[in-house]
Amino acid sequence: MRSMHSIFKLMVLLNLCFFSFSAFSAEYKAFLWKAQYQRNTVFIAGSIHALSKDFYPLPPNLLNAFKQSQRLAVELDPNEIDPYEAQQLVQSKMWLKEGRSLDQFLSTKHLAQLKEISALTNTPYTRLLKTRPWMLIENLTQYQIKESGYDVAFGVDNYFLTQAKAQNMPILELESLNDQISAIADVPFDAQLAALTISLDDLHDESYLPTMTSLWREGKDDELYQFVYSDVEKTPSVAPMMTSLLDDRNQHMADIIGIYLNQPNTLPTTTFVVVGALHLSGPNSVIQLLTKKGFYIQRN
């Protein structure tokens, strides 16, 4: 099981469609910041967690920042996840309470879309009706990944994890498996339900990903946030999902990065941090939180 990177488009920045790197005409600009305090440096890079090989090679300044670093920090290293632990944790949070079923909450339109998913994924419809919305969102996204030309193997974080392991570079994790699953699974039911309806409606949307990847590729962090936040403006009941998946986790990530910067080291230490690009976008981003903590941050 991979970490919960693929849950809901607020996080994963991916959807259905094939999109070639050659279709871009704008300059490839790294989603990258540099933070410094005393003798320590942290490079903070924004990742798209699933891409295609057409997005490689990555921008030179991103690669150079990695080369200057002594260690890598990621949200979670999927290769270090215990499959049994993951299965137990997911199973404990994926089913509706006895007596509840999604056909009690979803519209006729969305139930029809759920039946379509049942047929496309060869999953019994009755099973889907008993599944909590967060898990259905995960399943929908996995289906979209499978049907698209994108793969988590080409995700930016996976690329740097592979490079770090090849060089025997120390790898740090900003979160635990429980942190990531709880961030989505423990969101109030109404917000999960609202997010599910958005995911169902967007199942066959072929315009979302090109816009997303264009904004990321051009380094337009503010525009990226506004584009994604439009879902919250259209469906306010999904706001708790945004808070849990982004704002709360951003605070935790900023606190950990602050520790990296404050560490008393005999020698200067440079850490290369890779997190989802949305964590570096918007008014409550990791970048804004670190700035409020008094660290010097500059776009690299």
Side-chain angles (χ1 to χ4, degrees):
M1 173 183 173
R2 180 161 165 73
S3 65
M4 294 292 107
H5 288 325
S6 55
I7 298 174
F8 193 42
K9 65 187 181 182
L10 291 176
M11 291 299 303
V12 296
L13 304 183
L14 51 91
N15 207 319
L16 281 170
C17 122
F18 293 89
F19 202 60
S20 171
F21 176 80
S22 61
F24 291 109
S25 58
E27 179 185 359
Y28 204 165
K29 184 177 179 181
F31 220 88
L32 180 67
W33 283 259
K34 182 179 182 180
Q36 292 177 297
Y37 182 71
Q38 296 181 353
R39 306 181 73 193
N40 297 318
T41 300
V42 174
F43 290 104
I44 311 170
S47 171
I48 300 289
H49 297 308
L51 287 170
S52 70
K53 63 181 179 180
D54 300 312
F55 286 83
Y56 291 83
L58 295 171
N61 51 338
L62 193 61
L63 299 176
N64 290 335
F66 178 74
K67 289 179 181 178
Q68 295 175 42
S69 303
Q70 287 85 49
R71 59 188 186 179
L72 171 69
V74 294
E75 294 176 23
L76 186 66
D77 184 351
N79 301 305
E80 298 300 319
I81 293 175
D82 181 333
Y84 178 77
E85 176 191 356
Q87 182 181 20
Q88 292 293 105
L89 185 56
V90 170
Q91 286 287 334
S92 71
K93 295 176 179 286
M94 72 176 287
W95 301 111
L96 292 170
K97 293 181 180 179
E98 188 173 352
R100 302 187 88 184
S101 176
L102 287 179
D103 56 7
Q104 299 170 347
F105 305 99
L106 292 175
S107 67
T108 301
K109 168 192 168 186
H110 290 122
L111 287 172
Q113 291 171 331
L114 200 61
K115 286 181 180 179
E116 180 186 0
I117 293 300
S118 172
L120 289 172
T121 61
N122 197 30
T123 305
Y125 179 61
T126 53
R127 179 184 174 89
L128 296 181
L129 289 177
K130 296 297 183 180
T131 305
R132 293 180 65 193
W134 78 268
M135 193 67 219
L136 290 179
I137 296 167
E138 162 69 2
N139 292 339
L140 284 170
T141 308
Q142 293 296 339
Y143 171 76
Q144 291 171 335
I145 293 174
K146 182 179 178 180
E147 292 298 305
S148 74
Y150 290 79
D151 194 319
V152 294
F154 294 109
V156 176
D157 44 344
N158 189 66
Y159 171 83
F160 286 113
L161 273 168
T162 301
Q163 296 296 313
K165 289 177 180 179
Q167 300 172 29
N168 292 317
M169 179 185 290
I171 296 172
L172 309 174
E173 294 180 304
L174 297 170
E175 299 176 307
S176 68
L177 177 65
N178 185 67
D179 289 336
Q180 291 208 343
I181 293 180
S182 296
I184 180 80
D186 293 349
V187 168
F189 180 79
D190 288 347
Q192 289 189 37
L193 199 63
L196 175 60
T197 63
I198 294 172
S199 294
L200 287 168
D201 288 338
D202 286 347
L203 180 63
H204 300 302
D205 182 0
E206 296 187 359
S207 65
Y208 202 90
L209 179 58
T211 303
M212 278 279 197
T213 50
S214 292
L215 293 172
W216 171 77
R217 184 180 179 277
E218 296 168 28
K220 295 181 177 179
D221 52 296
D222 289 336
E223 290 90 335
L224 177 64
Y225 180 83
Q226 289 302 319
F227 180 70
V228 175
Y229 195 77
S230 64
D231 279 341
V232 180
E233 294 174 337
K234 294 174 186 174
T235 313
S237 55
V238 83
M241 184 78 77
M242 173 73 88
T243 299
S244 183
L245 286 176
L246 287 180
D247 295 349
D248 293 345
R249 293 173 67 210
N250 287 352
Q251 184 63 65
H252 174 77
M253 291 179 185
D255 289 344
I256 299 298
I257 293 171
I259 293 173
Y260 296 162
L261 288 165
N262 271 303
Q263 280 183 323
N265 299 307
T266 304
L267 297 174
T269 299
T270 300
T271 307
F272 189 84
V273 174
V274 184
V275 297
L278 274 178
H279 292 294
L280 309 183
S281 308
N284 299 313
S285 69
V286 170
I287 303 304
Q288 294 299 323
L289 293 171
L290 287 171
T291 300
K292 290 177 182 178
K293 288 176 178 290
F295 295 114
Y296 176 67
I297 312 285
Q298 64 187 78
R299 190 72 182 258
N300 207 55

